[in-house]
Amino acid sequence: MSENKYDLCERLEDFAASIILLYDKKPLSYASDYLAKQLIRSSCSSALNYGEVLGVGIDADKINKLRICLKELRESQRNLNIQSKAKLFSNEDLFGLKNENDQLIRIIVTRIKNIN
């Protein structure tokens, strides 16, 4: 993950890149392929939507984009949990991603609360 753990944009990008790297060299079953593609989409979407937050001036628009980031991160969280329960990866392989995903969710929730 990012060396500067306080740069949210960088952390979201690193999170998405870590997921891409996890699946890049692994042979996939039908289930893991399906979940991998969806996880890559949701994790990348959270980073891309946060990039849009940085360019928005109106608080209502910022909140809307942050809520999209939050939705995508929660989708990523469910996906990682399903993969863990289905033993598609070991818990050790997913622990860091699940932990970072949880921290990112908490940060986005806090950002939304602080705008209101």
mmCIF file of all heavy atoms in Angstrom, residues 1-30:
data_model
loop_
_atom_site.group_PDB
_atom_site.id
_atom_site.type_symbol
_atom_site.label_atom_id
_atom_site.label_comp_id
_atom_site.label_asym_id
_atom_site.label_seq_id
_atom_site.Cartn_x
_atom_site.Cartn_y
_atom_site.Cartn_z
ATOM 1 N N MET A 1 0.827 -1.179 0.000
ATOM 2 C CA MET A 1 0.000 0.000 0.000
ATOM 3 C C MET A 1 0.875 1.248 0.000
ATOM 4 O O MET A 1 2.074 1.172 0.115
ATOM 5 C CB MET A 1 -0.931 0.012 1.220
ATOM 6 C CG MET A 1 -1.888 -1.169 1.330
ATOM 7 S SD MET A 1 -3.098 -1.203 0.020
ATOM 8 C CE MET A 1 -3.490 -2.911 0.000
ATOM 9 N N SER A 2 0.261 2.390 -0.072
ATOM 10 C CA SER A 2 0.977 3.646 -0.192
ATOM 11 C C SER A 2 1.848 3.933 1.026
ATOM 12 O O SER A 2 1.479 3.630 2.152
ATOM 13 C CB SER A 2 -0.043 4.780 -0.363
ATOM 14 O OG SER A 2 0.594 6.024 -0.349
ATOM 15 N N GLU A 3 3.022 4.532 0.782
ATOM 16 C CA GLU A 3 3.886 4.930 1.879
ATOM 17 C C GLU A 3 3.249 6.066 2.671
ATOM 18 O O GLU A 3 3.386 6.140 3.880
ATOM 19 C CB GLU A 3 5.250 5.360 1.350
ATOM 20 C CG GLU A 3 6.087 4.200 0.880
ATOM 21 C CD GLU A 3 7.452 4.634 0.388
ATOM 22 O OE1 GLU A 3 7.949 5.687 0.818
ATOM 23 O OE2 GLU A 3 8.011 3.888 -0.426
ATOM 24 N N ASN A 4 2.564 6.983 1.987
ATOM 25 C CA ASN A 4 1.888 8.080 2.666
ATOM 26 C C ASN A 4 0.447 7.663 2.927
ATOM 27 O O ASN A 4 -0.424 7.856 2.105
ATOM 28 C CB ASN A 4 1.938 9.355 1.823
ATOM 29 C CG ASN A 4 1.309 10.537 2.520
ATOM 30 O OD1 ASN A 4 0.800 10.422 3.633
ATOM 31 N ND2 ASN A 4 1.332 11.682 1.874
ATOM 32 N N LYS A 5 0.212 7.085 4.101
ATOM 33 C CA LYS A 5 -1.105 6.515 4.387
ATOM 34 C C LYS A 5 -2.190 7.554 4.597
ATOM 35 O O LYS A 5 -3.335 7.220 4.794
ATOM 36 C CB LYS A 5 -1.023 5.551 5.559
ATOM 37 C CG LYS A 5 -0.630 6.171 6.875
ATOM 38 C CD LYS A 5 -0.436 5.100 7.912
ATOM 39 C CE LYS A 5 -1.378 5.292 9.051
ATOM 40 N NZ LYS A 5 -1.289 4.291 10.068
ATOM 41 N N TYR A 6 -1.819 8.837 4.544
ATOM 42 C CA TYR A 6 -2.812 9.880 4.758
ATOM 43 C C TYR A 6 -3.298 10.498 3.450
ATOM 44 O O TYR A 6 -4.161 11.341 3.455
ATOM 45 C CB TYR A 6 -2.253 10.946 5.703
ATOM 46 C CG TYR A 6 -1.875 10.339 7.029
ATOM 47 C CD1 TYR A 6 -0.548 10.121 7.374
ATOM 48 C CD2 TYR A 6 -2.861 9.917 7.918
ATOM 49 C CE1 TYR A 6 -0.212 9.529 8.575
ATOM 50 C CE2 TYR A 6 -2.531 9.315 9.118
ATOM 51 C CZ TYR A 6 -1.210 9.133 9.442
ATOM 52 O OH TYR A 6 -0.887 8.529 10.627
ATOM 53 N N ASP A 7 -2.732 10.105 2.322
ATOM 54 C CA ASP A 7 -3.162 10.592 1.023
ATOM 55 C C ASP A 7 -4.252 9.657 0.514
ATOM 56 O O ASP A 7 -3.974 8.587 -0.015
ATOM 57 C CB ASP A 7 -1.978 10.634 0.061
ATOM 58 C CG ASP A 7 -2.353 11.213 -1.297
ATOM 59 O OD1 ASP A 7 -3.560 11.341 -1.596
ATOM 60 O OD2 ASP A 7 -1.433 11.527 -2.059
ATOM 61 N N LEU A 8 -5.505 10.062 0.698
ATOM 62 C CA LEU A 8 -6.638 9.190 0.386
ATOM 63 C C LEU A 8 -6.700 8.823 -1.087
ATOM 64 O O LEU A 8 -6.964 7.670 -1.435
ATOM 65 C CB LEU A 8 -7.944 9.841 0.838
ATOM 66 C CG LEU A 8 -9.210 9.018 0.658
ATOM 67 C CD1 LEU A 8 -9.094 7.645 1.328
ATOM 68 C CD2 LEU A 8 -10.409 9.767 1.198
ATOM 69 N N CYS A 9 -6.424 9.767 -1.944
ATOM 70 C CA CYS A 9 -6.441 9.481 -3.386
ATOM 71 C C CYS A 9 -5.431 8.381 -3.708
ATOM 72 O O CYS A 9 -5.742 7.422 -4.413
ATOM 73 C CB CYS A 9 -6.127 10.767 -4.155
ATOM 74 S SG CYS A 9 -6.410 10.635 -5.917
ATOM 75 N N GLU A 10 -4.249 8.514 -3.169
ATOM 76 C CA GLU A 10 -3.193 7.532 -3.387
ATOM 77 C C GLU A 10 -3.581 6.170 -2.796
ATOM 78 O O GLU A 10 -3.349 5.126 -3.402
ATOM 79 C CB GLU A 10 -1.894 8.049 -2.747
ATOM 80 C CG GLU A 10 -0.667 7.306 -3.141
ATOM 81 C CD GLU A 10 -0.160 7.675 -4.532
ATOM 82 O OE1 GLU A 10 -0.489 8.754 -5.039
ATOM 83 O OE2 GLU A 10 0.551 6.840 -5.104
ATOM 84 N N ARG A 11 -4.188 6.177 -1.620
ATOM 85 C CA ARG A 11 -4.588 4.915 -0.982
ATOM 86 C C ARG A 11 -5.646 4.191 -1.802
ATOM 87 O O ARG A 11 -5.605 2.970 -1.947
ATOM 88 C CB ARG A 11 -5.093 5.159 0.439
ATOM 89 C CG ARG A 11 -3.963 5.381 1.428
ATOM 90 C CD ARG A 11 -4.472 5.603 2.807
ATOM 91 N NE ARG A 11 -5.005 4.376 3.392
ATOM 92 C CZ ARG A 11 -5.381 4.280 4.662
ATOM 93 N NH1 ARG A 11 -5.271 5.324 5.473
ATOM 94 N NH2 ARG A 11 -5.874 3.155 5.132
ATOM 95 N N LEU A 12 -6.607 4.923 -2.326
ATOM 96 C CA LEU A 12 -7.640 4.306 -3.152
ATOM 97 C C LEU A 12 -7.046 3.723 -4.426
ATOM 98 O O LEU A 12 -7.410 2.620 -4.840
ATOM 99 C CB LEU A 12 -8.738 5.321 -3.480
ATOM 100 C CG LEU A 12 -9.668 5.669 -2.323
ATOM 101 C CD1 LEU A 12 -10.403 6.970 -2.592
ATOM 102 C CD2 LEU A 12 -10.641 4.534 -2.053
ATOM 103 N N GLU A 13 -6.127 4.446 -5.037
ATOM 104 C CA GLU A 13 -5.459 3.937 -6.237
ATOM 105 C C GLU A 13 -4.630 2.696 -5.902
ATOM 106 O O GLU A 13 -4.638 1.713 -6.650
ATOM 107 C CB GLU A 13 -4.567 5.015 -6.842
ATOM 108 C CG GLU A 13 -5.332 6.157 -7.468
ATOM 109 C CD GLU A 13 -4.439 7.319 -7.862
ATOM 110 O OE1 GLU A 13 -3.203 7.255 -7.656
ATOM 111 O OE2 GLU A 13 -4.979 8.318 -8.376
ATOM 112 N N ASP A 14 -3.909 2.751 -4.788
ATOM 113 C CA ASP A 14 -3.086 1.605 -4.371
ATOM 114 C C ASP A 14 -3.949 0.386 -4.063
ATOM 115 O O ASP A 14 -3.573 -0.746 -4.370
ATOM 116 C CB ASP A 14 -2.235 1.962 -3.152
ATOM 117 C CG ASP A 14 -1.093 2.898 -3.479
ATOM 118 O OD1 ASP A 14 -0.831 3.143 -4.675
ATOM 119 O OD2 ASP A 14 -0.457 3.397 -2.530
ATOM 120 N N PHE A 15 -5.102 0.612 -3.446
ATOM 121 C CA PHE A 15 -6.025 -0.473 -3.139
ATOM 122 C C PHE A 15 -6.479 -1.157 -4.428
ATOM 123 O O PHE A 15 -6.426 -2.386 -4.554
ATOM 124 C CB PHE A 15 -7.223 0.068 -2.347
ATOM 125 C CG PHE A 15 -8.293 -0.945 -2.067
ATOM 126 C CD1 PHE A 15 -8.057 -2.021 -1.227
ATOM 127 C CD2 PHE A 15 -9.551 -0.819 -2.630
ATOM 128 C CE1 PHE A 15 -9.044 -2.964 -0.954
ATOM 129 C CE2 PHE A 15 -10.541 -1.739 -2.373
ATOM 130 C CZ PHE A 15 -10.287 -2.814 -1.539
ATOM 131 N N ALA A 16 -6.885 -0.358 -5.412
ATOM 132 C CA ALA A 16 -7.322 -0.911 -6.694
ATOM 133 C C ALA A 16 -6.169 -1.642 -7.387
ATOM 134 O O ALA A 16 -6.356 -2.748 -7.913
ATOM 135 C CB ALA A 16 -7.868 0.206 -7.591
ATOM 136 N N ALA A 17 -4.989 -1.057 -7.367
ATOM 137 C CA ALA A 17 -3.831 -1.690 -8.008
ATOM 138 C C ALA A 17 -3.470 -3.003 -7.316
ATOM 139 O O ALA A 17 -3.109 -3.981 -7.988
ATOM 140 C CB ALA A 17 -2.642 -0.731 -7.986
ATOM 141 N N SER A 18 -3.573 -3.050 -6.000
ATOM 142 C CA SER A 18 -3.270 -4.288 -5.261
ATOM 143 C C SER A 18 -4.217 -5.413 -5.647
ATOM 144 O O SER A 18 -3.813 -6.572 -5.755
ATOM 145 C CB SER A 18 -3.354 -4.036 -3.756
ATOM 146 O OG SER A 18 -2.351 -3.152 -3.342
ATOM 147 N N ILE A 19 -5.469 -5.069 -5.873
ATOM 148 C CA ILE A 19 -6.447 -6.073 -6.292
ATOM 149 C C ILE A 19 -6.120 -6.559 -7.704
ATOM 150 O O ILE A 19 -6.140 -7.763 -7.972
ATOM 151 C CB ILE A 19 -7.872 -5.508 -6.173
ATOM 152 C CG1 ILE A 19 -8.231 -5.441 -4.687
ATOM 153 C CG2 ILE A 19 -8.875 -6.349 -6.963
ATOM 154 C CD1 ILE A 19 -9.489 -4.764 -4.341
ATOM 155 N N ILE A 20 -5.790 -5.645 -8.588
ATOM 156 C CA ILE A 20 -5.410 -6.041 -9.944
ATOM 157 C C ILE A 20 -4.214 -6.986 -9.897
ATOM 158 O O ILE A 20 -4.199 -8.031 -10.558
ATOM 159 C CB ILE A 20 -5.111 -4.796 -10.802
ATOM 160 C CG1 ILE A 20 -6.408 -4.018 -11.071
ATOM 161 C CG2 ILE A 20 -4.433 -5.193 -12.120
ATOM 162 C CD1 ILE A 20 -6.187 -2.629 -11.646
ATOM 163 N N LEU A 21 -3.211 -6.644 -9.114
ATOM 164 C CA LEU A 21 -2.004 -7.469 -9.012
ATOM 165 C C LEU A 21 -2.292 -8.843 -8.415
ATOM 166 O O LEU A 21 -1.675 -9.838 -8.805
ATOM 167 C CB LEU A 21 -0.935 -6.749 -8.195
ATOM 168 C CG LEU A 21 -0.355 -5.497 -8.860
ATOM 169 C CD1 LEU A 21 0.529 -4.737 -7.876
ATOM 170 C CD2 LEU A 21 0.405 -5.853 -10.123
ATOM 171 N N LEU A 22 -3.214 -8.908 -7.464
ATOM 172 C CA LEU A 22 -3.570 -10.188 -6.853
ATOM 173 C C LEU A 22 -4.090 -11.172 -7.896
ATOM 174 O O LEU A 22 -3.759 -12.353 -7.876
ATOM 175 C CB LEU A 22 -4.628 -9.975 -5.759
ATOM 176 C CG LEU A 22 -5.145 -11.225 -5.066
ATOM 177 C CD1 LEU A 22 -4.049 -11.861 -4.207
ATOM 178 C CD2 LEU A 22 -6.354 -10.882 -4.205
ATOM 179 N N TYR A 23 -4.889 -10.686 -8.830
ATOM 180 C CA TYR A 23 -5.521 -11.561 -9.815
ATOM 181 C C TYR A 23 -4.734 -11.684 -11.105
ATOM 182 O O TYR A 23 -5.018 -12.558 -11.924
ATOM 183 C CB TYR A 23 -6.934 -11.073 -10.125
ATOM 184 C CG TYR A 23 -7.842 -11.234 -8.945
ATOM 185 C CD1 TYR A 23 -8.146 -10.159 -8.122
ATOM 186 C CD2 TYR A 23 -8.360 -12.478 -8.627
ATOM 187 C CE1 TYR A 23 -8.966 -10.320 -7.024
ATOM 188 C CE2 TYR A 23 -9.173 -12.640 -7.536
ATOM 189 C CZ TYR A 23 -9.474 -11.554 -6.731
ATOM 190 O OH TYR A 23 -10.267 -11.724 -5.642
ATOM 191 N N ASP A 24 -3.749 -10.838 -11.308
ATOM 192 C CA ASP A 24 -3.041 -10.784 -12.574
ATOM 193 C C ASP A 24 -2.349 -12.094 -12.947
ATOM 194 O O ASP A 24 -2.322 -12.473 -14.106
ATOM 195 C CB ASP A 24 -2.023 -9.646 -12.555
ATOM 196 C CG ASP A 24 -1.460 -9.352 -13.929
ATOM 197 O OD1 ASP A 24 -2.244 -9.364 -14.899
ATOM 198 O OD2 ASP A 24 -0.244 -9.122 -14.034
ATOM 199 N N LYS A 25 -1.812 -12.804 -11.971
ATOM 200 C CA LYS A 25 -1.017 -13.996 -12.276
ATOM 201 C C LYS A 25 -1.632 -15.282 -11.762
ATOM 202 O O LYS A 25 -1.006 -16.322 -11.803
ATOM 203 C CB LYS A 25 0.384 -13.817 -11.703
ATOM 204 C CG LYS A 25 1.113 -12.675 -12.367
ATOM 205 C CD LYS A 25 2.503 -12.506 -11.840
ATOM 206 C CE LYS A 25 3.149 -11.391 -12.628
ATOM 207 N NZ LYS A 25 3.730 -10.364 -11.875
ATOM 208 N N LYS A 26 -2.861 -15.212 -11.266
ATOM 209 C CA LYS A 26 -3.491 -16.399 -10.692
ATOM 210 C C LYS A 26 -4.433 -17.045 -11.699
ATOM 211 O O LYS A 26 -5.279 -16.367 -12.264
ATOM 212 C CB LYS A 26 -4.267 -16.002 -9.436
ATOM 213 C CG LYS A 26 -4.979 -17.175 -8.802
ATOM 214 C CD LYS A 26 -5.369 -16.867 -7.402
ATOM 215 C CE LYS A 26 -6.172 -17.926 -6.726
ATOM 216 N NZ LYS A 26 -5.847 -19.275 -6.945
ATOM 217 N N PRO A 27 -4.295 -18.359 -11.928
ATOM 218 C CA PRO A 27 -5.299 -19.031 -12.767
ATOM 219 C C PRO A 27 -6.647 -19.015 -12.036
ATOM 220 O O PRO A 27 -6.694 -19.235 -10.831
ATOM 221 C CB PRO A 27 -4.764 -20.456 -12.907
ATOM 222 C CG PRO A 27 -3.746 -20.611 -11.844
ATOM 223 C CD PRO A 27 -3.288 -19.250 -11.427
ATOM 224 N N LEU A 28 -7.687 -18.713 -12.761
ATOM 225 C CA LEU A 28 -8.981 -18.502 -12.124
ATOM 226 C C LEU A 28 -10.009 -19.559 -12.522
ATOM 227 O O LEU A 28 -10.096 -19.948 -13.673
ATOM 228 C CB LEU A 28 -9.523 -17.118 -12.502
ATOM 229 C CG LEU A 28 -8.637 -15.923 -12.143
ATOM 230 C CD1 LEU A 28 -9.232 -14.644 -12.691
ATOM 231 C CD2 LEU A 28 -8.454 -15.817 -10.645
ATOM 232 N N SER A 29 -10.791 -19.958 -11.544
ATOM 233 C CA SER A 29 -11.962 -20.790 -11.800
ATOM 234 C C SER A 29 -13.082 -19.859 -12.278
ATOM 235 O O SER A 29 -12.926 -18.638 -12.283
ATOM 236 C CB SER A 29 -12.383 -21.500 -10.517
ATOM 237 O OG SER A 29 -12.843 -20.548 -9.560
ATOM 238 N N TYR A 30 -14.208 -20.442 -12.644
ATOM 239 C CA TYR A 30 -15.343 -19.617 -13.075
ATOM 240 C C TYR A 30 -15.737 -18.633 -11.966
ATOM 241 O O TYR A 30 -15.894 -17.438 -12.220
ATOM 242 C CB TYR A 30 -16.543 -20.491 -13.457
ATOM 243 C CG TYR A 30 -17.768 -19.676 -13.745
ATOM 244 C CD1 TYR A 30 -17.929 -19.061 -14.983
ATOM 245 C CD2 TYR A 30 -18.745 -19.480 -12.778
ATOM 246 C CE1 TYR A 30 -19.041 -18.275 -15.249
ATOM 247 C CE2 TYR A 30 -19.858 -18.685 -13.035
ATOM 248 C CZ TYR A 30 -20.004 -18.091 -14.269
ATOM 249 O OH TYR A 30 -21.096 -17.309 -14.525
#
